Amino acid sequence: MKNCKLCHYSELCNSLPGICILLQYAAVVLLIVVLAYLFITQEL
């Protein structure tokens, strides 16, 4: 893969194309965890 269309880190994607998809899922999961943590700490 010369170009990774899912992310802008082309040199990282050239060696590991799967990292692009994993980073997107990891960012979404991290955002949900942080929002849930903030919600729980505010409610308790």
Side-chain angles (χ1 to χ4, degrees):
M1 285 182 81
K2 294 198 172 183
N3 292 335
C4 183
K5 298 184 178 176
L6 294 176
C7 71
H8 299 288
Y9 303 103
S10 58
E11 59 275 348
L12 194 137
C13 291
N14 283 337
S15 56
L16 297 169
I19 293 293
C20 299
I21 302 166
L22 288 178
L23 282 177
Q24 287 183 341
Y25 283 116
V28 172
V29 169
L30 183 65
L31 182 65
I32 292 172
V33 168
V34 168
L35 289 176
Y37 174 76
L38 290 174
F39 179 75
I40 291 172
T41 53
Q42 293 295 322
E43 291 294 318
L44 293 179

